[in-house]
Amino acid sequence: MTSKKLVNTVAGCADEALAGLVACNPSLQLLHGHRVALRSDLDSLKGQVALLSGGGSGHEPAHAGFIGKGMLTGVIAGAVFTSPAVGSILAAIRAVAQAGTVGTLLIVKNYTGDRLNFGLAREQARAEGIPVEMVVIGDDSAFTVLKKAGRRGLCGTVLIHKVAGALAEAGVGLEEITNRVSAVAKAMGTLGVSLSSCSIPGSRPTFELSPDEVELGLGIHGEAGVRRVKMASANEIVTLMLDHMTASANVSRVPVQSGSSVVLMVNNLGGLSFLELGIIADAAVRTLEGRGVKIARALVGTFMSALEMPGISLTLLLVDEPLLKLIDAETTASAWPNVAKVSVTGRKRSRAAPAEPLEAPVSPVAGGLTSKRVMLVLERVCTTLLGLEEHLNALDRASGDGDCGTTHSRAARAIQGWLKEGPPPASPAQLLSKLSLLLLEKMGGSSGALYGLFLTAAAQPLKAKTDLPAWCAAMDAGLEAMQKYGKAAPGDRTMLDSLWAAGQELQAWKSPGANLFQVLTKAVQSAEAAAEATKNMEAGAGRASYISSARLDQPDPGAVAAAAVLRAILEALQGQGV
C-alpha cells in the first residue's frame, strides 16, 4: 500500500515544491524551462565565484533552502531521489557565467548519478570555456570497509555549502575554494539511524523494520543501512552512533578524540518529532563532552531530510578558529539556523532557583494533626491513585489523550517521595500549601494546576482555625478558586462535579455539634454519585467539551479520581479511629 501524500500529481511534485519555495522567497528565482533555483540578485555577483549544488528532491530544505548570500548561488533539483538532468545543470552553469561570475564550483554528494550528471555538465561547460570545478562530498561514516563507490554524501554537505559560501563571499578564487573545502570534507563524518523507512510519493516504503528494530548507517534515499540493532533508549542509540563513527577500526571514521573541537549537527531526517530531536541533541552533547570533546558549535534541526523518515543523523566536523569564522560568517540562506557564535562546551547551563520565602511561624491554634496520622492518610490516597492508573487512563481515552491515570499516578509517586524525605507539617495550612507546591511542580497537566489552585486557596482559612467550620470554609475556598480560574461549573462534567457535591454536604460542619464522620461519609457518597452521574452530562468545559456527547458514555476520569481521593481520606481516618 502506498503512503498518503499531499501532492497534486506524483510527476509534478518536485517542480511544484520548488516553485512554492521560490514563490514565498523574493530572493530566489526559477530558471525558465529548468528545475533550477538561483539567487535573484545574480547580477551582483560579478567577479565572484558561483556555487552550485543539488541532487534529487525529497531532501528539503536541502539544497534550495541554502541559497543566499554567504552560501549557494543556485540549486539544480532532480525528481524525488533522482539526479538532476545534465541539461539543467549546464543551463545553471551558463546562467551564473553570463552574470559575470569568475568561475563555478559544483558541490556534489557522492552518488553515482550525481557524479555522472554533474561531471558531464562540467566537461561540457569547460569545453565552452567556462571555468568549472567540482568537489564530491562523501561524509558517510557507516562503512567499516570501503567499497569502490566510496562514502556517500550526507548532511555534512550542508557544512561544505557554508564554508564555500563564506569563502566566495570574501572574494576567494575558484582554485583556493576548491582546495580548502576538499580539505574540510576530509575532517567530517555523518551517521544516520532510523526507526522506519521513508516512502517516495506513489511508492511503498523502501524497507520494513520490526517494532523492536532500528536501522543504523542508512542513506538519505531510503536505502537500508549497514546493520539493524534492537530498539534502545536515546542515550544508548547516541552512544552506539558515536562509537561507530569514531571507532579506530572503521575506515570511514571521523578522527574525533579527547581534546578535539567539533561542530555538531543533529539533523532530523524528516519524520522525527521536535521532542525526540531535543532528547537526541542533549544525549549527543553529554556523551561527547563526557569523552573530552569540545563542542564549538551545535546545529539542531532539519537540514537534509529523507522525506518523512523518522530518524536522525549526527555530523561531526573537526574545526579550528579559522574554520569557525567561516561557519559563523553571515548568510541570508533561509534554512541556515541562527547559531550562537560561542562555544557550547564550557557554558553555564543552569541558574540557581530562587530561594523560597521563609514560612511564617505557625499559630498554636493551627495545630490539630500529627505527622503520623497525616502520613497514613496520604499513603492511603497514593495507593488508591496508583491502583486506579489504568482505569482512569481508559476512561480518559474517550475524551482526551488517555493520560489522566498517569497524571494522578505521577502525583502519587511525588507525594510518596516527599514523605520519605521527612515528616509532613502538622499544621493543616502548611500541609495543604506544601502539597499544592508539590502537585504544581510534579503532577503536570490541567489536573495539577487545578489541584494546586484548590489546595492553595483551601489552606488560607486553616491558618487561624482548624475546627470543622474552618475545614468547611477551606473546601468552599478551594472550590471557588477552581471555578474562578478553571471556568468550569457544576454540571460541566469535570472533576469539579465530585468536589462540589462533597462540598455541599460539608456545609453541615458549620452547625454546632456536627459529627465528623457522619458528614464526611455523606460527602464521599455524594461525590461518588456525582462522579457516576457525569456519564450522562454534556461536557461544558475541559478537553471533553470538544467531543460529541454521543461518544461520552463513561464517567469523567477527573471526577472519578476526586471521589476516590475523598473515599481514601475517609477510610484512612476511620482506620485510625479519629
Side-chain angles (χ1 to χ4, degrees):
M1 180 180 177
T2 58
S3 61
K4 292 185 287 187
K5 305 284 186 187
L6 284 172
V7 300
N8 294 313
T9 65
V10 171
C13 63
D15 293 283
E16 293 171 354
L18 192 61
L21 177 66
V22 172
C24 297
N25 192 335
S27 64
L28 301 182
Q29 289 180 330
L30 288 173
L31 190 60
H32 184 71
H34 299 278
R35 197 182 291 126
V36 174
L38 297 167
R39 286 175 59 174
S40 56
D41 63 346
L42 205 58
D43 292 334
S44 70
L45 302 182
K46 187 174 296 185
Q48 289 188 20
V49 171
L51 304 175
L52 297 177
S53 189
S57 297
H59 304 304
E60 290 72 24
H63 295 279
F66 300 108
I67 300 174
K69 182 178 180 180
M71 287 194 79
L72 296 176
T73 310
V75 159
I76 309 94
V80 174
F81 294 170
T82 303
S83 299
V86 174
S88 290
I89 301 171
L90 185 58
I93 295 172
R94 288 170 177 162
V96 297
Q98 289 170 10
T101 58
V102 295
T104 298
L105 177 62
L106 305 178
I107 302 172
V108 181
K109 298 187 299 299
N110 187 28
Y111 291 98
T112 302
D114 288 350
R115 288 198 318 269
L116 289 173
N117 290 1
F118 276 90
L120 182 53
R122 176 201 179 205
E123 293 302 321
Q124 291 179 348
R126 292 180 70 161
E128 296 175 10
I130 303 173
V132 182
E133 295 293 344
M134 186 169 89
V135 290
V136 179
I137 308 302
D139 57 314
D140 190 1
S141 291
F143 299 101
T144 56
V145 177
L146 280 184
K147 298 181 180 179
K148 188 174 182 180
R151 301 166 69 182
R152 296 171 294 194
L154 302 177
C155 187
T157 308
V158 175
L159 292 176
I160 300 299
H161 296 336
K162 186 66 182 64
V163 172
L167 291 170
E169 192 65 34
V172 177
L174 177 59
E175 183 178 357
E176 184 178 348
I177 295 176
T178 303
N179 292 336
R180 290 180 66 174
V181 298
S182 296
V184 171
K186 294 176 182 177
M188 179 172 62
T190 299
L191 188 70
V193 69
S194 184
L195 309 182
S196 66
S197 173
C198 62
S199 58
I200 301 170
S203 301
R204 296 184 178 186
T206 49
F207 62 84
E208 297 290 341
L209 285 173
S210 64
D212 64 341
E213 287 182 324
V214 297
E215 192 82 12
L216 179 72
L218 73 173
I220 53 171
H221 302 102
E223 66 268 42
V226 292
R227 62 187 172 112
R228 292 181 180 180
V229 297
K230 290 296 182 181
M231 185 66 192
S233 69
N235 288 336
E236 292 169 323
I237 293 294
V238 167
T239 298
L240 174 66
M241 295 175 73
L242 293 174
D243 285 346
H244 188 91
M245 293 174 71
T246 60
S248 57
N250 182 356
V251 297
S252 63
R253 67 187 286 263
V254 55
V256 171
Q257 56 190 1
S258 179
S260 296
S261 181
V262 301
V263 168
L264 165 69
M265 289 185 79
V266 182
N267 173 56
N268 188 348
L269 287 171
L272 206 67
S273 68
F274 282 100
L275 181 78
E276 294 162 286
L277 197 63
I279 293 169
I280 293 292
D282 176 61
V285 169
R286 285 188 290 102
T287 304
L288 286 168
E289 290 182 339
R291 299 179 181 188
V293 177
K294 177 184 177 182
I295 303 172
R297 302 289 185 271
L299 290 74
V300 182
T302 305
F303 304 98
M304 185 177 290
S305 65
L307 292 170
E308 79 288 21
M309 183 181 285
I312 54 104
S313 67
L314 299 179
T315 299
L316 298 176
L317 169 64
L318 289 162
V319 291
D320 54 17
E321 284 305 316
L323 184 51
L324 275 180
K325 288 182 179 179
L326 298 175
I327 297 292
D328 289 341
E330 295 298 325
T331 179
T332 61
S334 61
W336 184 258
N338 183 20
V339 182
K341 299 174 183 179
V342 294
S343 175
V344 171
T345 301
R347 182 177 60 88
K348 190 175 181 180
R349 294 181 184 139
S350 64
R351 179 187 295 271
E356 294 186 12
L358 295 175
E359 294 181 356
V362 181
S363 170
V365 299
L369 297 174
T370 66
S371 294
K372 182 178 179 181
R373 182 173 296 165
V374 170
M375 290 184 70
L376 290 173
V377 171
L378 291 178
E379 282 290 356
R380 182 64 171 265
V381 170
C382 292
T383 302
T384 298
L385 291 177
L386 290 171
L388 285 172
E389 180 173 2
E390 289 304 319
H391 177 59
L392 294 176
N393 281 344
L395 292 177
D396 194 32
R397 290 187 192 105
S399 59
D401 48 9
D403 68 346
C404 182
T406 303
T407 300
H408 282 78
S409 291
R410 190 159 54 238
R413 293 187 181 93
I415 294 172
Q416 288 177 331
W418 176 60
L419 293 176
K420 291 178 181 179
E421 296 175 1
S427 158
Q430 287 190 354
L431 174 65
L432 297 191
S433 295
K434 288 287 187 183
L435 286 172
S436 168
L437 292 173
L438 186 67
L439 297 186
L440 286 170
E441 182 179 353
K442 302 292 186 181
M443 186 176 186
S446 57
S447 296
L450 288 168
Y451 276 119
L453 279 167
F454 177 86
L455 293 170
T456 298
Q460 306 314 306
L462 297 172
K463 288 182 176 180
K465 295 182 180 180
T466 59
D467 55 10
L468 291 182
W471 280 99
C472 179
M475 187 71 166
D476 291 343
L479 290 171
E480 181 181 354
M482 289 181 72
Q483 291 182 85
K484 178 179 179 180
Y485 294 102
K487 299 299 182 183
D492 279 345
R493 197 183 188 276
T494 69
M495 61 189 290
L496 181 68
D497 288 300
S498 293
L499 295 173
W500 179 267
Q504 299 310 295
E505 297 293 344
L506 295 184
Q507 298 300 314
W509 277 348
K510 295 179 179 178
S511 302
N515 183 275
L516 167 68
F517 281 118
Q518 287 180 357
V519 174
L520 187 56
T521 299
K522 290 185 66 177
V524 171
Q525 292 171 345
S526 293
E528 291 172 336
E532 181 66 18
T534 59
K535 69 181 181 181
N536 300 316
M537 294 179 183
E538 182 80 26
R543 188 178 288 119
S545 62
Y546 300 105
I547 308 296
S548 169
S549 60
R551 292 173 53 191
L552 301 176
D553 56 356
Q554 297 292 328
D556 177 72
V560 171
V565 168
L566 293 174
R567 169 64 68 181
I569 292 172
L570 171 63
E571 293 178 351
L573 291 175
Q574 287 175 329
Q576 298 174 53
V578 175

